[in-house]
Amino acid sequence: MVINSIVYRDGAREEVIDPENISREVMEDPDAFIWLGLYQPDPPFMKKMQEEFGLHELAIEDALTAHQRPKLEQYGESLFIVLKTAHLNEHNHIEFGETHFFVSKKFLITVRHGASESYAPLRKRTEERPEMLGKGVGFPLYCLFDFIVDNYSDITATLGERINEMERAMFRTEFDRKAVQHVYTLRRQLLALRNAAMPVDEICNQLIRLHEDIIPKPLRVYLRDVQDHAHHVVTDTDDMREILTNAMHVNLALVTVQQNEVVKKLAGWGAILVIPTVIFSMYGMNFESMPEIHSPWGYPAAIGGTLLACGALYWRLKRASWL
């Protein structure tokens, strides 16, 4: 459950500490904070963390339930933040998880659930900038936000290439049920990704405007950069969903037009075949006073008249682009 539990003092990595026995001296040191990384912890362990860090019971309850919407809530001197994480699996389908943050001036606790990239490489890169770590928990919090939103951007970039290929494939006159189902599934995934990215803007706004103790002024520009990236993700997902919708509509329209062309041809040939059907059915009736029935030229005249009428109708339909 415990991935990392490290104390940082004056921007430098100080020591690995047991999260269940956090020294009061560390919590009271104005130059130190604790960055604790957890993965799907169980209720007894979170109960201990509640007691050790003074966390609110409602935040603990939410952190144990991995089906939360992205949000920021304040409980006393600490914040509880939820962000959706996204990951492309080997089948290029988006899998979603969650990261819950407990944040105060003295600690940053991350609780990961479900699909998510490891934060270990991010922690290493963060520790390479001690001058920024010296500003407190705001910098690693920004790094985590940026890492999550950049994953959104990577997913939209990958899906953008696939969508361009799908769009070209949809411009055909054959109806492909699997392709339409794939488009519908992808649109739903893009909607879920959009809903994950959209609340990031408001969460960053609240951190910038209302929580200067956690996000000091030098760090605000970094969170605005995260906001900009999240906005691009929302815009890109909207554009891609629109492209998929239009491509699906174009495909259905092309299929309909092709079907109409087939129906027109069948109707044209049906109209041509009506002429000999009517004439020959009349001569098949048992009447003596049929036109030219006793004439030696009657049969050739009937055949010729039929062919002439059929040819005239064929020429007319051909000019009308029905055949």
Side-chain angles (χ1 to χ4, degrees), residues 149-221:
V149 174
D150 281 350
N151 274 344
Y152 297 163
S153 300
D154 292 341
I155 290 173
T156 56
T158 302
L159 293 182
E161 298 175 359
R162 287 177 54 203
I163 287 171
N164 289 335
E165 296 175 359
M166 292 174 60
E167 184 183 19
R168 289 191 293 269
M170 294 293 283
F171 281 87
R172 55 186 181 182
T173 56
E174 296 84 9
F175 178 73
D176 189 340
R177 184 183 298 274
K178 289 185 177 179
V180 173
Q181 290 175 341
H182 190 197
V183 168
Y184 180 76
T185 301
L186 189 54
R187 288 187 74 250
R188 289 190 62 183
Q189 290 186 337
L190 287 170
L191 178 61
L193 184 62
R194 178 186 184 277
N195 291 340
M198 180 172 285
V200 174
D201 180 60
E202 179 58 28
I203 291 173
C204 289
N205 265 335
Q206 292 187 45
L207 288 171
I208 292 171
R209 290 186 291 104
L210 304 176
H211 303 286
E212 188 174 347
D213 55 333
I214 296 174
I215 305 295
K217 288 183 179 180
L219 291 179
R220 292 180 183 179
V221 64

Side-chain angles (χ1 to χ4, degrees), residues 8 13 35 119-129:
Y8 296 89
R13 179 180 176 132
W35 184 355
Y119 295 153
L122 171 66
R123 183 187 290 266
K124 183 177 180 180
R125 292 195 302 269
T126 304
E127 292 173 351
E128 294 173 354
R129 303 187 63 183

Side-chain angles (χ1 to χ4, degrees), residues 33-172:
F33 70 88
I34 298 168
W35 184 355
L36 174 62
L38 306 176
Y39 182 73
Q40 298 185 174
D42 56 28
F45 181 83
M46 288 304 295
K47 182 66 175 178
K48 294 178 182 178
M49 293 301 96
Q50 178 185 358
E51 297 170 355
E52 197 68 39
F53 291 96
L55 305 176
H56 198 279
E57 60 179 349
L58 293 178
I60 295 294
E61 180 182 344
D62 287 347
L64 290 170
T65 306
H67 297 286
Q68 302 295 320
R69 60 178 179 83
K71 61 182 179 179
L72 184 153
E73 295 179 350
Q74 183 170 4
Y75 296 100
E77 297 182 356
S78 65
L79 303 177
F80 178 67
I81 304 171
V82 178
L83 288 185
K84 291 285 187 180
T85 56
H87 170 70
L88 274 181
N89 62 18
E90 63 275 10
H91 303 294
N92 281 332
H93 291 162
I94 305 176
E95 295 179 348
F96 292 95
E98 294 177 14
T99 295
H100 302 171
F101 303 85
F102 294 93
V103 190
S104 79
K105 291 189 295 183
K106 301 307 300 175
F107 58 81
L108 170 60
I109 305 173
T110 59
V111 183
R112 291 194 292 133
H113 292 276
S116 172
E117 300 287 347
S118 172
Y119 295 153
L122 171 66
R123 183 187 290 266
K124 183 177 180 180
R125 292 195 302 269
T126 304
E127 292 173 351
E128 294 173 354
R129 303 187 63 183
E131 75 283 1
M132 299 301 293
L133 270 175
K135 300 182 185 300
V137 298
F139 181 67
L141 181 64
Y142 148 73
C143 292
L144 289 165
F145 276 35
D146 187 59
F147 181 78
I148 292 172
V149 174
D150 281 350
N151 274 344
Y152 297 163
S153 300
D154 292 341
I155 290 173
T156 56
T158 302
L159 293 182
E161 298 175 359
R162 287 177 54 203
I163 287 171
N164 289 335
E165 296 175 359
M166 292 174 60
E167 184 183 19
R168 289 191 293 269
M170 294 293 283
F171 281 87
R172 55 186 181 182

